[in-house]
């Protein structure tokens, strides 16, 4: 009986590892689409109901491009997924939470943020789409009403600090 238990346990661990690898791969594609302003790729890995709420892929891509048009490419120092924090199998899908790490240096400040994306897979954990949880379960449920109650959405973490100006001494002088 213990051999059967060991085999079942290792299978469950393999599945979680496999699913987390797929979450990471799809989140990498989402952030690549954002960093390169390839809104087709970004939209492909964005949560479909959210894309639909903007009128479709083209309109969603246009909205995202306009929303970030004021921030120069050079300001983005980091925009990448972090750790997969949670994966839950529900009746018809898998749901997950993964960190999104960003650093922006702009307008004299360095803003470092850890936010949390909610991911969903309808095909057994192979392909994932994401949306920003806003650090708030209530806001997330407006986007995905059937969000699993077991998902624990961490609060968004953000620090803002002034950038030192090149050539300026910080000591009195």
């Amino acid at each position: 009986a213990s051999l059967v238990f060991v085999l079942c346990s290792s299978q469950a661990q393999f599945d979680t590892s496999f699913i987390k690898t797929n979450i990471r791969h799809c989140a990498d594609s989402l952030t690549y689409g954002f960093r390169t302003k390839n809104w087709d790729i970004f939209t492909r890995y964005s949560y479909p109901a959210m894309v639909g709420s903007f009128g479709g892929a083209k309109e969603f891509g246009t909205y995202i491009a306009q929303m970030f048009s004021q921030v120069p490419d050079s300001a983005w120092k980091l925009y990448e997924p972090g750790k997969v924090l949670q994966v839950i199998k529900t009746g018809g899908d898998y749901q997950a939470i993964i960190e999104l790490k960003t650093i922006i240096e702009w307008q004299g400040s360095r803003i470092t943020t850890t936010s949390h994306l909610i991911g969903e897979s309808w095909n057994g954990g192979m392909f994932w789409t994401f949306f920003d949880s806003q650090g708030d379960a209530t806001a997330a449920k407006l986007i995905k009403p059937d969000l699993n109650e077991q998902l624990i959405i961490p609060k968004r973490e953000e620090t803002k600090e002034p950038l030192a100006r090149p050539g300026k001494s910080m000591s009195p002088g």
Side-chain angles (χ1 to χ4, degrees):
S2 63
L3 178 61
V4 172
F5 174 75
V6 170
L7 290 174
C8 290
S9 295
S10 66
Q11 183 64 34
Q13 184 61 42
F14 171 78
D15 289 346
T16 301
S17 176
F18 173 76
I19 288 170
K20 284 183 176 181
T21 299
N22 289 342
I23 293 168
R24 180 66 189 216
H25 174 74
C26 292
D28 280 339
S29 295
L30 176 85
T31 57
Y32 170 81
F34 183 88
R35 286 190 318 266
T36 61
K37 295 186 177 184
N38 184 326
W39 305 122
D40 289 339
I41 290 176
F42 184 79
T43 300
R44 184 178 315 140
Y45 292 95
S46 294
Y47 185 62
M50 189 176 60
V51 172
S53 73
F54 284 88
K58 183 178 179 196
E59 294 82 358
F60 179 71
T62 300
Y63 170 78
I64 297 295
Q66 288 173 347
M67 193 165 86
F68 290 100
S69 65
Q70 299 299 312
V71 182
D73 293 347
S74 61
W76 293 96
K77 304 303 177 190
L78 181 71
Y79 189 88
E80 66 183 31
K83 292 183 229 160
V84 177
L85 301 179
Q86 199 174 4
V87 180
I88 293 176
K89 182 174 183 359
T90 67
D93 66 1
Y94 282 91
Q95 297 177 20
I97 295 181
I98 183 171
E99 296 173 327
L100 177 64
K101 307 269 190 180
T102 60
I103 298 175
I104 299 173
E105 293 180 356
W106 190 41
Q107 297 179 336
S109 295
R110 178 184 179 112
I111 303 165
T112 304
T113 306
T114 300
S115 55
H116 301 88
L117 300 176
I118 294 176
E120 182 172 30
S121 173
W122 293 276
N123 66 355
M126 297 290 291
F127 183 81
W128 289 81
T129 60
F130 304 93
F131 67 92
D132 189 343
S133 71
Q134 305 295 315
D136 179 34
T138 303
K141 285 186 178 215
L142 292 174
I143 297 168
K144 181 168 177 42
D146 65 341
L147 188 68
N148 191 290
E149 296 289 336
Q150 293 177 16
L151 284 179
I152 300 164
I153 300 171
K155 292 289 180 206
R156 176 184 166 106
E157 300 167 20
E158 183 172 293
T159 58
K160 184 176 182 178
E161 55 195 5
L163 287 173
R165 299 174 90 186
K168 297 276 184 183
S169 173
M170 296 304 279
S171 60

